[in-house]
Amino acid sequence: MTRLQRLFRIAWVFCRYRLDTFLPIAELPAPLKVFFLLAPWHLFPQPKLDRGDRLRLALEELGPVFVKFGQILSTRRDLLPDDMAESLKNLQDRVPPFPSNEARSIIETSLGAPVSDLFAEFSPDPLASASVAQVHAATLRNGQKVVVKVLRPGIEKVIRQDLALMYLMAGLLEKYWSEGKRLHPMEVVADYDSTIHDELDLQREAANASQLRRNFENSSLIYIPFIDWDYTRKSVLVMERIHGIPIADTAALKAAGVDMKVLAEKGVEIFFTQVFRDSFFHADMHPGNIFVDTSNPSDPRYIAIDFGIVGTLAPDDQSYLARNLLAFFRRDYRQVAQLHIQSGWVPPDTPVNQFEAAIRTVCEPIFEKPLKDISFGHFLLRLFQTARRFNMEVQPQLVLLQKTLLNVEGLGRQLYPDLDLWSTAQPYLETWMRKRIGPSGLIKSLQSHLPSWLEQSPEMPQLVHDALLQLRQAGPTEPQNRATLALLREQQIRTERRWRRATLAVLLIAGGFLGTQPESRQWIESVPAWSWALFAVAGGLMLRGSR
């Protein structure tokens, strides 16, 4: 019943704001065209509002899931007309607020004290209001200027209803649509379910902010405000108040003398740094969450807020993605095709030559062009057609990353339309790959894994011994089985010797390599002499045991 009620609610809003006028009815098949011409929304008068305002109000009325969708659309001026994109900008931080007395009640319940005792000053009028929460200006008793973020009351119920409907629709798509299994709609919705529930926990958001602040401490790229943990709970977050020009206010940025090319390039660098250096990225980078510090206009710095949604990548996905992007930037379409097959993103029997030719056909037209000259809508259409032709499966773990990339690309298009995204990103990725697989990457890997290897290496022979013991206890004792066990014991002895020799060889090679690298001298000198003595004794025992 809840799903049906929500479905009727969506249909009512659709009819009320006459969103049918956005549909390309003339291009639909004849049966669908007749259905739309006779549909019940024609009984509703068309509102005397601009089309952008109608879409914005409809999304606002439908709740946070739809508002998030509108926020993404607001940055896509290549996909939407300017008047609609301009209206949807209001969804970034000007969603209708809830009453301030409700905000005060939530703060007092969460922090266990009256607002007048907690803050020297508290503004009843919200600074900004978004789909999930709203923000009030305040001053702590020590004089620190802060903002207080308060979760919307009743927001969990609305989101549960929307998610229930999304699961229903995803299940129907997967069951009755031929493309359903390839697109993994249930997994995508489940991933979004986890993400949106994380956003409803402001303590989790505060933890995300603290991690990002550590990642970019003293950075000239971006500033992350500090969190006041004494005043932060699940429904309330208190954070340093920042001052800057909203990223969407390009007129103000230009009036302040900001170098827009540098700003756009820094945005690309921030994205790739978060994804590949840290594997921890701000995944809600719409313009309402980004400001600019213009104190040094020639070297501007981003300021980020709202850390409810962050993304991470598994090492395998991170590596495959980096290699794919580098091959793409170098126009090595064959490697792109092979990497897609190796990673399992397309079936293993995919013809490499055909897949390579299809990728080249889609990608070649957009190279060496600034963002303003790329038809992103046409590019996406061709990309989806290629994916469908080769049964390319949607990767749910990359959905957040794709959403973030859309936001970043949309911001770059607004800030500096002449930005060459490819030439900006390629050097960074090449540097990252060199660090990952070059000498410095090997040193870093050895430094991080060597203690673990040393701890685990003595256990390997014992694990083999335990497995043989269990086999002996569990199995029968016929002569053929006794012979099998004898053979296994002999193999165990050989395995132990080989393991000791291999481990010792790795340690000697690693030690010799580290000793020749200037980067490792500080680490080597910091190890006490007695540790090196024990290391030498252990090596001697291993050598003796390997004979």
Side-chain angles (χ1 to χ4, degrees):
M1 285 301 297
T2 300
R3 294 174 183 174
L4 286 175
Q5 288 173 357
R6 184 60 175 161
L7 188 59
F8 280 123
R9 175 66 178 165
I10 293 171
W12 170 264
V13 172
F14 186 92
C15 294
R16 179 184 174 189
Y17 290 101
R18 293 298 306 274
L19 300 186
D20 61 291
T21 59
F22 295 97
L23 300 173
I25 296 176
E27 302 173 13
L28 295 175
L32 282 178
K33 192 181 299 183
V34 172
F35 169 77
F36 279 110
L37 290 174
L38 299 177
W41 48 68
H42 292 287
L43 301 174
F44 289 75
Q46 188 161 327
K48 295 180 180 179
L49 295 168
D50 294 335
R51 57 181 182 174
D53 290 334
R54 283 192 284 129
L55 180 58
R56 174 180 57 82
L57 291 171
L59 294 175
E60 282 180 3
E61 198 166 323
L62 289 173
V65 172
F66 294 86
V67 169
K68 291 288 181 189
F69 177 66
Q71 288 172 347
I72 296 174
L73 284 180
S74 69
T75 66
R76 306 306 315 186
R77 291 178 182 264
D78 54 325
L79 302 178
L80 287 180
D82 285 345
D83 62 315
M84 293 179 67
E86 195 65 30
S87 181
L88 292 180
K89 277 174 60 177
N90 292 318
L91 295 176
Q92 294 165 8
D93 57 6
R94 290 197 291 276
V95 176
F98 57 89
S100 61
N101 62 318
E102 292 186 37
R104 294 175 71 96
S105 176
I106 294 171
I107 294 169
E108 291 175 350
T109 301
S110 298
L111 299 180
V115 167
S116 56
D117 292 348
L118 295 167
F119 305 102
E121 295 178 9
F122 181 85
S123 174
D125 299 321
L127 280 175
S129 181
S131 56
V132 170
Q134 69 185 34
V135 175
H136 294 260
T139 305
L140 296 178
R141 287 292 175 183
N142 62 7
Q144 174 69 49
K145 300 290 184 181
V146 295
V147 293
V148 184
K149 185 172 183 177
V150 186
L151 208 64
R152 280 185 177 271
I155 190 69
E156 294 92 342
K157 180 181 178 182
V158 177
I159 288 177
R160 278 199 306 270
Q161 291 175 343
D162 282 343
L163 286 170
L165 183 60
M166 290 171 70
Y167 275 116
L168 174 64
M169 298 302 295
L172 292 174
L173 283 174
E174 198 164 288
K175 187 173 183 180
Y176 295 109
W177 188 32
S178 60
E179 296 290 311
K181 294 187 183 302
R182 180 177 66 82
L183 297 178
H184 299 289
M186 290 293 287
E187 292 182 43
V188 172
V189 174
D191 192 61
Y192 182 73
D193 186 348
S194 173
T195 299
I196 196 69
H197 276 96
D198 287 348
E199 194 175 6
L200 298 180
D201 185 349
L202 297 187
Q203 280 189 307
R204 180 181 286 269
E205 176 179 342
N208 293 338
S210 296
Q211 180 65 56
L212 283 168
R213 183 176 171 85
R214 283 196 298 274
N215 291 348
F216 286 94
E217 194 169 6
N218 301 321
S219 171
S220 63
L221 295 173
I222 189 170
Y223 179 79
I224 309 296
F226 72 82
I227 301 296
D228 194 319
W229 282 99
D230 292 337
Y231 295 91
T232 296
R233 302 290 186 273
K234 187 176 186 295
S235 298
V236 177
L237 182 151
V238 175
M239 181 178 69
E240 171 192 5
R241 184 173 182 181
I242 54 91
H243 297 278
I245 297 175
I247 192 75
D249 194 349
T250 53
L253 291 172
K254 290 176 180 177
V258 171
D259 188 324
M260 303 299 279
K261 182 175 184 291
V262 171
L263 187 63
E265 290 174 346
K266 280 192 170 187
V268 175
E269 185 176 352
I270 289 168
F271 171 76
F272 282 98
T273 301
Q274 290 182 93
V275 172
F276 293 107
R277 187 194 70 183
D278 305 328
S279 188
F280 190 84
F281 57 93
H282 192 313
D284 200 16
M285 294 182 69
H286 65 76
N289 292 338
I290 307 294
F291 297 82
V292 180
D293 175 5
T294 60
S295 56
N296 183 0
S298 62
D299 188 27
R301 182 167 65 160
Y302 284 81
I303 307 172
I305 61 171
D306 195 350
F307 312 98
I309 304 178
V310 298
T312 59
L313 289 177
D316 287 347
D317 287 325
Q318 190 184 40
S319 178
Y320 273 119
L321 186 65
R323 291 163 66 191
N324 262 291
L325 287 172
L326 264 181
F328 172 73
F329 292 153
R330 294 168 178 166
R331 304 195 199 187
D332 187 350
Y333 302 117
R334 187 169 190 84
Q335 187 179 8
V336 173
Q338 291 172 336
L339 285 168
H340 272 67
I341 295 171
Q342 291 172 16
S343 63
W345 295 352
V346 294
D349 58 350
T350 301
V352 176
N353 291 340
Q354 294 179 24
F355 192 36
E356 175 191 359
I359 295 171
R360 181 184 296 108
T361 303
V362 173
C363 298
E364 196 65 25
I366 67 173
F367 269 108
E368 297 181 0
K369 285 185 177 180
L371 288 177
K372 67 179 181 181
D373 293 335
I374 298 173
S375 173
F376 202 75
H378 179 69
F379 172 71
L380 281 179
L381 180 62
R382 294 299 302 270
L383 198 61
F384 291 150
Q385 289 172 344
T386 302
R388 181 177 182 181
R389 177 185 168 192
F390 290 94
N391 295 315
M392 189 186 302
E393 296 193 2
V394 167
Q395 303 298 313
Q397 76 277 16
L398 300 181
V399 169
L400 266 184
L401 181 69
Q402 291 161 351
K403 167 184 173 289
T404 306
L405 187 56
L406 281 175
N407 279 332
V408 170
E409 194 266 346
L411 282 174
R413 188 181 295 272
Q414 288 185 36
L415 293 173
Y416 188 69
D418 290 318
L419 177 70
D420 186 340
L421 185 62
W422 326 121
S423 62
T424 304
Q426 183 175 343
Y428 180 85
L429 267 180
E430 289 176 338
T431 301
W432 181 81
M433 285 296 288
R434 280 198 299 271
K435 288 181 178 178
R436 184 179 177 89
I437 64 177
S440 60
L442 178 59
I443 292 171
K444 185 176 179 181
S445 178
L446 286 171
Q447 288 177 350
S448 61
H449 291 99
L450 194 57
S452 175
W453 291 344
L454 287 172
E455 290 175 4
Q456 294 176 13
S457 59
E459 298 176 8
M460 289 302 297
Q462 184 63 41
L463 290 174
V464 175
H465 173 76
D466 291 345
L468 288 169
L469 184 61
Q470 290 177 10
L471 180 64
R472 181 177 183 180
Q473 292 173 347
T477 58
E478 282 80 2
Q480 62 269 29
N481 290 313
R482 288 199 296 269
T484 300
L485 285 172
L487 180 61
L488 286 173
R489 285 194 201 97
E490 185 179 348
Q491 289 178 345
Q492 177 197 5
I493 294 170
R494 292 176 182 172
T495 300
E496 289 177 354
R497 289 173 178 170
R498 290 171 182 168
W499 179 255
R500 290 192 181 100
R501 289 170 184 167
T503 304
L504 184 60
V506 168
L507 292 176
L508 290 173
I509 292 171
F513 182 81
L514 289 171
T516 64
Q517 300 300 313
E519 303 173 43
S520 61
R521 288 173 186 167
Q522 184 177 0
W523 175 73
I524 293 172
E525 291 171 358
S526 67
V527 178
W530 59 268
S531 296
W532 290 115
L534 286 177
F535 181 79
V537 171
L541 291 174
M542 289 178 65
L543 182 62
R544 181 180 179 184
S546 65
R547 293 175 182 173

